[in-house]
Amino acid sequence: MIRKLFRGAAIFLCGLLGLAVLLLAIAYGRLEWQKQQVYRVPVAPLQIPGDSAILARGAHLAAIKGCAECHGEDGGGKIMLDDPALGLLVGSNLTRGRGGLPAAYTTTDWVRALKHGLRQDGRPLLLMPSQETSQLSAEDMAALIAYYNALPAVDREQPPMAIGPVLRLLSLAGQVPLFPAQQIDHERPLLASVAVQVGPAYGEYLAISCSGCHGTSMKGMDAPAPGLPARPDISRSGKPGRWTQEQFIETLRTGQTPDGRQLKQEDMPWQMTARYTDEELQSLYLYLMSI
Ligand code: HEC
Ligand code: HEC
């Protein structure tokens, strides 16, 4: 009797293991196939001005859009995460130093990456938030490119990215979008410019940077994986709806919420929101309280 029970359990466990191996094999194969897809999209030309006001705007955008968090403060790239389950995630070197962008990386290549989520040869970039940068105004995109083109060359070779098994499974389950190119409307032209002026309209433009985690509606999303926090509703119907504008700004500057919680930088990137100007945080608040 006992022996039969054990045999049953053993068969069940083997079946489970077999299923896990099969799922992993599918997740692995699918990702390798997706990586090799070549997207043929028309890339619109963009003028890159080089005056100092534009460079300053580009530097500010690199800070508030999180480019520096993934590509390093010096633009020389960095290891974003080194974890056996999730993988070795690497923000590339965006300077012209050793290990950086190739000498023949043109403005068109920049736009292909920022607007379309594609590398020079048309294959999709992984984990680069191009679904957000594709919504930058032409003016802001040009400022970012001008800024990175003017950065001193950093010689830093980065190891190649390696997507781990858990991330592959999450991608298969549709929980984590790995390829921004799949989410982008490649036909939509860039917005020419956006009025930099305190108000909900500017806030809506800025909130694109929050949409990847808090959802395009800003009404929150489930946790991306077990063990991680859910992404809360940050609109009027969420907790921020009960905060004053000062409390909202204080939270995004320090990570300290009015109810006394310290948000962790690795969950909610408040060190990035800390770098927004007062006008930008006011605009974000006005927009979030309007929806
Ligand atoms: C969440 C992390 C993250 C953020 C934020 C981010 N990037 Fe990236 N970016 C990546 C990763 C990872 C890659 C490499 C993708 C690959 O090789 O598949 C990449 C690739 C790129 C590339 C393409 C380089 C090449 O070799 O083709 C450019 C250009 C780029 N990023 C610019 C930017 C700019 C400008 C910003 C800010 C607006 C930014 N990135 C924000 C993670 C990020
Ligand atoms: C990388 C994902 C990510 C991005 C990008 C992000 N957030 Fe968050 N945010 C979170 C997570 C996760 C939490 C919850 C953390 C926790 O519960 O400890 C959070 C919490 C918050 C809170 C506190 C809400 C509460 O109920 O206490 C506010 C306010 C907030 N985010 C605003 C923003 C704004 C504004 C932006 C865009 C400028 C933004 N976040 C971008 C992930 C993100």
Side-chain angles (χ1 to χ4, degrees), residues 67-123:
C67 321
E69 272 185 44
C70 292
H71 293 283
E73 290 292 336
D74 60 3
K78 72 181 230 198
I79 309 276
M80 290 152 48
L81 189 74
D82 186 359
D83 177 279
L86 294 172
L88 180 64
L89 309 183
V90 186
S92 30
N93 181 343
L94 298 180
T95 73
R96 303 296 170 138
R98 196 158 27 81
L101 296 175
Y105 200 82
T106 61
T107 298
T108 305
D109 295 323
W110 267 100
V111 176
R112 192 179 287 110
L114 298 181
K115 168 70 179 73
H116 301 284
L118 301 172
R119 49 185 100 241
Q120 221 175 7
D121 62 8
R123 287 180 303 131

Side-chain angles (χ1 to χ4, degrees), residues 31 34-35 39 124-127 171 176-183:
L31 192 76
Q34 285 170 321
K35 261 169 50 181
Y39 289 64
L125 292 166
L126 282 117
L127 290 168
S171 160
V176 176
L178 288 183
F179 297 101
Q182 293 173 345
Q183 302 171 53

Side-chain angles (χ1 to χ4, degrees), residues 1-221:
M1 179 62 201
I2 294 282
R3 197 183 284 171
K4 239 187 185 163
L5 205 70
F6 272 129
R7 204 168 57 199
I11 292 174
F12 177 72
L13 280 179
C14 283
L16 216 61
L17 201 70
L19 193 70
V21 169
L22 185 72
L23 262 179
L24 258 178
I26 295 175
Y28 189 90
R30 181 166 170 271
L31 192 76
E32 292 311 303
W33 179 78
Q34 285 170 321
K35 261 169 50 181
Q36 301 308 329
Q37 297 298 297
V38 173
Y39 289 64
R40 305 216 180 279
V41 298
V43 181
L46 186 67
Q47 285 301 323
I48 311 296
D51 57 275
S52 59
I54 294 291
L55 291 179
R57 173 81 185 154
H60 179 62
L61 286 166
I64 68 166
K65 297 293 172 192
C67 321
E69 272 185 44
C70 292
H71 293 283
E73 290 292 336
D74 60 3
K78 72 181 230 198
I79 309 276
M80 290 152 48
L81 189 74
D82 186 359
D83 177 279
L86 294 172
L88 180 64
L89 309 183
V90 186
S92 30
N93 181 343
L94 298 180
T95 73
R96 303 296 170 138
R98 196 158 27 81
L101 296 175
Y105 200 82
T106 61
T107 298
T108 305
D109 295 323
W110 267 100
V111 176
R112 192 179 287 110
L114 298 181
K115 168 70 179 73
H116 301 284
L118 301 172
R119 49 185 100 241
Q120 221 175 7
D121 62 8
R123 287 180 303 131
L125 292 166
L126 282 117
L127 290 168
M128 156 70 199
S130 302
Q131 73 286 3
E132 293 173 13
T133 52
S134 73
Q135 299 178 65
L136 285 168
S137 68
E139 207 171 65
D140 280 350
M141 192 177 283
L144 265 170
I145 298 173
Y147 167 74
Y148 275 105
N149 278 341
L151 274 187
V154 176
D155 293 328
R156 196 179 299 138
E157 311 253 14
Q158 297 290 0
M161 271 225 271
I163 305 294
V166 170
L167 207 49
R168 283 178 194 265
L169 286 173
L170 286 173
S171 160
L172 185 69
Q175 284 297 98
V176 176
L178 288 183
F179 297 101
Q182 293 173 345
Q183 302 171 53
I184 293 173
D185 176 357
H186 295 283
E187 303 298 323
R188 190 183 52 78
L190 286 178
L191 220 65
S193 66
V194 167
V196 177
Q197 182 185 337
V198 175
Y202 190 42
E204 181 172 12
Y205 174 69
L206 292 167
I208 291 166
S209 304
C210 325
S211 63
C213 295
H214 294 284
T216 40
S217 68
M218 304 295 147
K219 303 281 179 188
M221 293 206 283

